[in-house]
Amino acid sequence: MNKKKHLSVTAMVMIIFVAVFGFGNIANNFKASGTESTSMFVLGAIIYFLPMCLIMSEFASYAKDRTGGIYSWIDIGLGKNVAYYALWSYFVANIFYLPTLASRVPTYLSFAFTGDANIGNFSMAVMSAGSLIVALLIGIKYENGFSKISTLTGYISLIVAGIFLVGGIGTYMGFFGTPATELTVKSLMMPINTKESLGSFLSTFAWIIFAYAGSELVGTYVDKVEKPERDFSKGLLLSALLIGILYVLGVISIAAFGTPEDYSKISLVNSVISGYAFMGTAFGLGVWFVKIIGLTYTIITFVALVLWSLALSKAVFSEAPNGTFPAWMTRKTKNGVLRNALIFQTALSFLFILITTFGGKSAGDLYYKIYDMSTMAFTLPYLFLSVAYIKFRKDGHKSPFQLCKNNTLACIVGGTVVLLNIAAIVFAGYDLSIPLAEQMDVIKLYYGGLAVFLAIGAVIKMIKFKEEEAVAETTNA
């Protein structure tokens, strides 16, 4: 009998790093708030990301044999009904994220070949669809061994980020010339002394929380960790520290090579490579530097696409109660791969790409409106998870790993995370500094969209699909 291969702590950290850390998050927040966003990343890491990772660690070590990730954890605390709505919200948010992620692959590949984003809509659609299909085939065939590729890609991502950080920090230390943005202690802090600045603070912090989303992805790998009560928790904590520190240093480094005005002229996707382009220009490295970075980000983004596809299928379809979805969708191969669910996800993503590319302006506008409507759905699973944790501790459940031994203190931490999630839901769509009448269209789009998707989820929940015995397929995955 072959010895079971386990997921190491290092592999866990790299998987989370690839899934969570995004240079685009740094560029987007720097574009909006300048170096003041540094304090927000610090605050978000300390009072939100770290506690959330501790909560997930406690759930994972308690339910180490369950592979549904965030669904399983919410089920333990709040039951299957609430877990279903969390699962549905998670699916809605991420099914629109997959084609977006796929579209970044050809964009970065264009940088690799030409040094710029020179790619037409038709080529973008074909290559995005191709990325989805290749990701599907890799996920089906190599799901069990994909952690090795993810680990290697995590190291590549870390090295590429490190190059930028060394260049930026070195510039501020006087080793590489004059920084583009002046840096002072005051410039790192976001003021809250006026209604306008308070509104900006709350809105920025709400979107910072989105930047820390994704670590729950590793919950679907808990069955591959040899000692979850120790190694899973260690991996999540190391990831929280690593990502938090790199986000903070990333804002400082990006300021060394450009100003918020420089980045405001660049799209979010292009800003990822443009930061390195600014660095290359400052150091006289030439277009070859941009091409190398473009190639590395092509690999990183493609691996992230495979990871998100696999994790989404496992989180949504692996532990859903019988009758929630058609039996064919939850059926696994003998290697435990949810092949039909992966195909279904890919088909939906493929359809979305076709609509935005060939459906005309009206169809494209409708899709992007629906995409915006799904934004708030991403926040609900984290809110439900933090509430589930409070119920979990109040019910007296004992996990091998605990955030803290004292139940009252644990509930206070959980309550703080609940409040932060509520704040993220409220202030991601509502700006305190702008009159309510002037932002009603945005409010209707975000919160009306959330209500619509929850209503659709309620209708689907009322449908009971015929239950069939989930027999593993005999063909090789």
Side-chain angles (χ1 to χ4, degrees):
M1 182 180 293
N2 293 329
K3 185 178 180 181
K4 182 179 178 180
K5 294 181 180 179
H6 297 288
L7 197 65
S8 67
V9 172
T10 301
M12 275 189 59
V13 172
M14 291 300 102
I15 288 174
I16 296 172
F17 184 71
V18 170
V20 177
F21 183 79
F23 194 92
N25 293 326
I26 298 172
N28 198 36
N29 282 285
F30 177 69
K31 184 191 302 185
S33 307
T35 54
E36 292 176 353
S37 58
T38 304
S39 59
M40 307 304 293
F41 275 113
V42 173
L43 189 64
I46 294 173
I47 69 172
Y48 181 79
F49 190 44
L50 184 59
M52 184 60 81
C53 285
L54 288 169
I55 288 172
M56 287 190 286
S57 296
E58 188 164 340
F59 271 122
S61 62
Y62 179 83
K64 56 188 177 182
D65 296 324
R66 298 187 62 173
T67 60
I70 197 167
Y71 169 82
S72 303
W73 305 333
I74 295 172
D75 178 21
I76 293 168
L78 297 176
K80 296 189 182 302
N81 284 331
V82 176
Y84 165 79
Y85 285 103
L87 172 148
W88 169 248
S89 300
Y90 195 74
F91 179 75
V92 165
N94 284 290
I95 197 61
F96 289 104
Y97 178 62
L98 290 182
T100 302
L101 200 56
S103 69
R104 294 176 185 175
V105 174
T107 301
Y108 297 147
L109 194 60
S110 176
F111 275 104
F113 281 103
T114 69
D116 204 348
N118 296 318
I119 184 167
N121 289 339
F122 180 78
S123 298
M124 170 79 79
V126 171
M127 295 176 70
S128 298
S131 298
L132 285 168
I133 293 172
V134 175
L136 169 66
L137 296 176
I138 290 176
I140 292 174
K141 187 69 177 177
Y142 300 107
E143 190 269 346
N144 291 321
F146 194 71
S147 60
K148 292 182 179 179
I149 299 174
S150 304
T151 303
L152 177 60
T153 305
Y155 281 123
I156 294 172
S157 181
L158 192 57
I159 291 171
V160 172
I163 291 172
F164 191 83
L165 298 182
V166 169
I169 301 299
T171 299
Y172 275 111
M173 294 177 68
F175 297 139
F176 306 124
T178 305
T181 307
E182 183 183 0
L183 199 65
T184 64
V185 174
K186 184 179 180 180
S187 70
L188 298 177
M189 307 298 293
M190 183 165 280
I192 53 173
N193 56 336
T194 65
K195 183 178 180 179
E196 289 72 21
S197 61
L198 177 60
S200 178
F201 174 90
L202 293 171
S203 296
T204 301
F205 186 74
W207 289 105
I208 288 289
I209 286 181
F210 280 79
Y212 283 115
S215 55
E216 77 287 341
L217 176 150
V218 81
T220 57
Y221 291 87
V222 67
D223 61 324
K224 293 180 171 60
V225 180
E226 185 174 9
K227 295 182 178 179
E229 64 278 4
R230 182 196 67 190
D231 294 344
F232 194 90
S233 306
K234 188 185 296 184
L236 272 170
L237 293 179
L238 288 174
S239 302
L241 293 173
L242 176 65
I243 293 169
I245 291 171
L246 290 184
Y247 268 146
V248 172
L249 295 179
V251 176
I252 296 173
S253 297
I254 204 173
F257 304 116
T259 64
E261 290 73 26
D262 293 329
Y263 282 91
S264 67
K265 303 171 185 175
I266 304 167
S267 69
L268 175 59
V269 176
N270 291 351
S271 67
V272 174
I273 308 298
S274 295
Y276 288 90
F278 289 154
M279 176 183 171
T281 300
F283 292 172
L285 297 178
V287 71
W288 65 267
F289 179 67
V290 174
K291 290 183 176 182
I292 291 174
I293 297 299
L295 180 60
T296 56
Y297 264 93
T298 301
I299 297 170
I300 292 166
T301 306
F302 179 75
V303 171
L305 176 63
V306 179
L307 280 174
W308 275 104
S309 297
L310 289 170
L312 181 60
S313 66
K314 293 179 74 173
V316 175
F317 300 107
S318 68
E319 291 193 13
N322 289 336
T324 304
F325 302 109
W328 64 266
M329 199 177 292
T330 59
R331 191 178 298 121
K332 298 179 181 179
T333 67
K334 71 173 186 179
N335 291 334
V337 178
L338 289 153
R339 181 168 60 188
N340 293 339
L342 284 169
I343 294 173
F344 174 70
Q345 289 177 182
T346 302
L348 278 180
S349 300
F350 197 95
L351 177 62
F352 295 153
I353 290 174
L354 290 178
I355 290 173
T356 55
T357 306
F358 305 109
K361 186 178 184 303
S362 297
D365 290 345
L366 177 60
Y367 169 79
Y368 287 116
K369 187 172 184 178
I370 295 173
Y371 177 84
D372 288 337
M373 289 170 63
S374 72
T375 302
M376 289 301 169
F378 199 67
T379 61
L380 281 189
Y382 302 104
L383 174 60
F384 290 149
L385 179 64
S386 50
V387 174
Y389 178 70
I390 297 174
K391 182 68 163 51
F392 174 80
R393 291 300 295 254
K394 283 189 173 182
D395 287 345
H397 294 296
K398 298 293 183 182
S399 175
F401 171 87
Q402 291 186 307
L403 186 155
C404 57
K405 299 295 183 183
N406 185 280
N407 276 351
T408 300
L409 183 57
C411 289
I412 291 174
V413 173
T416 301
V417 177
V418 169
L419 293 175
L420 291 173
N421 279 307
I422 293 174
I425 293 173
V426 172
F427 295 109
Y430 169 68
D431 190 331
L432 188 67
S433 63
I434 300 176
L436 183 63
E438 295 180 14
Q439 50 183 326
M440 282 306 297
D441 287 344
V442 174
I443 290 173
K444 289 177 182 177
L445 182 68
Y446 282 162
Y447 302 109
L450 179 60
V452 168
F453 280 118
L454 287 177
I456 293 172
V459 172
I460 292 175
K461 191 175 186 298
M462 293 170 62
I463 302 171
K464 293 300 179 184
F465 292 96
K466 182 180 179 181
E467 297 181 14
E468 298 177 13
E469 185 179 357
V471 180
E473 298 177 20
T474 56
T475 57
N476 290 328

